[in-house]
């Protein structure tokens, strides 16, 4: 149970918000920062008792100033608490406006501005990526490369967000993998809609290779229907009753952060990908989505 009445009220507000998983994580970041600011007496006393006071403009200005300095980080970065990045600052402001709107309050101008979108690959680059993945399938691949090839092939077909990709299950694949069912979660919230997307020959071949690897991995764990699973033993940050780290075997569900991390690592590790893939998976998704809309027009 939170120590402050305003945080308890904020938790209730967050529970009722209809937003996507990415936005929910961003809101959780803001919630944690606000609670830490209250615990350090960095905000007015009234903000402890009232969500209205917590979200009023003077309180928010103090919160923004402290948060952007890095003082409210929940863990050290490079041994210290450096200022937060411009994209993080903008996300924080958007979350604040979303919370105020949910409480029936108008948005506030707290500085900053829209963060420029990073350049996305062009159609010719997407075609080259398709050819590169096809070349991978013609030879031997490690389990990690096999998984990434299937992820990228599916992304080329679906333009799914990272959270949508991570949520896929083997039951979302049709017979012979000729189609995949994707639940679309709008970034700013809204109605979740599902659709069947026809897969390409490349994706079907990539999935066939990955599902064979996956089957062996899942047999070592406890079984899961999630399409993407871990490749190595790791820990989940939880301690058992004796204070020992809980170890997760290979074959456990791969969460969104793990999927994104595998993209970043694979981009640098495998021949040809650094020139074809942007820094972030979201940039690739936007390029694929734009190309799909262009060809459908």
């Amino acid at each position: 149970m939170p120590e402050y009445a305003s945080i308890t009220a904020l938790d209730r507000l967050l529970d009722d918000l209809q937003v996507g998983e990415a936005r929910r994580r961003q809101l959780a970041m803001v919630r944690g920062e606000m609670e830490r600011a209250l615990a350090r007496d960095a905000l007015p006393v009234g903000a402890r008792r009232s969500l209205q006071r917590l979200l009023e403009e003077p309180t928010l200005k103090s919160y923004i100033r402290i948060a952007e300095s890095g003082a409210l980080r929940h863990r050290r970065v490079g041994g210290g608490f450096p200022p937060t990045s411009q994209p993080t600052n903008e996300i924080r402001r958007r979350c604040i406006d979303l919370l105020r709107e949910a409480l029936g309050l108008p948005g506030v101008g707290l500085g900053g501005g829209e963060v420029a979108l990073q350049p996305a690959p062009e159609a010719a680059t997407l075609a080259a990526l398709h050819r590169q993945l096809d070349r991978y399938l013609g030879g031997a691949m490690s389990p990690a490369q096999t998984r990434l090839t299937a992820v990228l092939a599916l992304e080329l077909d679906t333009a799914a967000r990272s959270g949508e990709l991570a949520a896929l299950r083997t039951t979302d694949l049709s017979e012979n993998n000729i189609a995949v069912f994707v639940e679309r979660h709008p970034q700013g919230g809204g109605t979740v809609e599902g659709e069947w997307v026809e897969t390409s020959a490349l994706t079907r071949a990539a999935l066939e290779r990955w599902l064979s690897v996956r089957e062996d991995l899942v047999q070592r764990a406890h079984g899961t229907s999630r399409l993407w699973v871990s490749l190595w033993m790791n820990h989940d940050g939880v301690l058992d009753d004796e204070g020992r780290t809980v170890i997760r075997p290979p074959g456990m569900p791969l969460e969104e952060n793990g999927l994104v991390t595998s993209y970043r690592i694979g981009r640098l590790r495998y021949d040809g990908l650094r020139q074809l893939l942007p820094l972030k998976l979201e940039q690739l998704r936007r390029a694929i989505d734009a190309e799909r809309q262009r060809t459908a027009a």
Side-chain angles (χ1 to χ4, degrees):
M1 185 74 176
E3 182 178 351
Y4 308 108
S6 58
I7 296 297
T8 300
L10 177 58
D11 286 341
R12 289 197 296 266
L13 183 69
L14 291 173
D15 286 342
D16 292 337
L17 278 180
Q18 299 297 313
V19 295
E21 287 302 313
R23 183 66 76 194
R24 189 164 295 281
R25 288 195 300 274
Q26 294 164 1
L27 289 164
M29 175 197 74
V30 169
R31 184 258 189 222
E33 288 180 340
M34 286 182 164
E35 186 172 36
R36 289 191 287 276
L38 291 173
R40 299 175 189 182
D41 296 325
L43 302 179
V45 174
R48 297 181 176 186
R49 300 186 295 268
S50 165
L51 180 57
Q52 186 97 9
R53 289 290 304 276
L54 181 63
L55 296 180
E56 67 182 8
E57 188 169 347
T59 303
L60 291 173
K61 285 183 176 179
S62 297
Y63 157 64
I64 286 288
R65 183 178 65 256
I66 299 166
E68 290 186 352
S69 75
L72 299 179
R73 289 180 180 271
H74 71 285
R75 60 186 177 189
R76 294 179 181 273
V77 177
F81 298 92
T84 54
S85 66
Q86 182 187 358
T88 297
N89 296 342
E90 182 56 32
I91 286 169
R92 186 181 290 115
R93 298 185 188 102
R94 291 180 182 177
C95 287
I96 286 171
D97 281 342
L98 181 59
L99 291 173
R100 282 179 58 88
E101 180 183 349
L103 204 61
L105 302 172
V108 290
L110 296 174
E114 293 293 324
V115 178
L117 294 175
Q118 295 296 314
E122 298 180 352
T125 304
L126 297 179
L129 174 60
H130 188 285
R131 293 192 296 272
Q132 181 64 62
L133 298 179
D134 191 50
R135 283 194 287 272
Y136 288 160
L137 289 170
M141 293 190 292
S142 67
Q145 189 177 17
T146 302
R147 186 181 64 187
L148 181 62
T149 299
V151 167
L152 293 175
L154 258 182
E155 182 64 21
L156 285 171
D157 286 349
T158 64
R161 298 183 185 279
S162 57
E164 296 165 354
L165 273 178
L168 288 175
R169 297 181 179 274
T170 54
T171 50
D172 292 321
L173 298 172
S174 68
E175 188 175 0
N176 298 321
N177 305 325
I178 62 174
V180 59
F181 185 78
V182 181
E183 280 196 348
R184 305 290 187 180
H185 294 257
Q187 184 175 10
T191 304
V192 176
E193 297 182 352
E195 66 168 330
W196 283 99
V197 180
E198 183 179 355
T199 57
S200 64
L202 171 73
T203 297
R204 293 194 291 274
L207 284 172
E208 183 178 359
R209 291 278 290 269
W210 164 243
L211 289 172
S212 177
V213 173
R214 178 192 175 281
E215 181 179 9
D216 182 55
L217 290 166
V218 171
Q219 285 177 354
R220 305 181 201 174
H222 301 291
T224 177
S225 64
R226 291 276 285 276
L227 180 57
W228 314 114
V229 298
S230 61
L231 304 173
W232 299 284
M233 184 181 300
N234 58 70
H235 68 84
D236 57 8
V238 175
L239 302 180
D240 62 18
D241 293 339
E242 298 181 2
R244 294 174 301 194
T245 300
V246 176
I247 300 298
R248 290 160 50 96
M252 298 295 287
L254 187 70
E255 303 301 334
E256 183 181 357
N257 285 343
L259 187 73
V260 172
T261 299
S262 71
Y263 172 88
R264 294 197 194 113
I265 294 173
R267 175 182 174 272
L268 300 176
R269 176 177 293 171
Y270 304 118
D271 290 342
L273 288 189
R274 187 182 301 203
Q275 295 77 25
L276 298 174
L277 292 177
L279 288 173
K280 296 184 178 181
L281 180 59
E282 172 59 17
Q283 294 170 247
L284 178 64
R285 184 201 70 80
R286 286 192 290 103
I288 296 167
D289 189 48
E291 182 61 15
R292 291 177 78 203
Q293 294 183 36
R294 186 188 68 80
T295 56

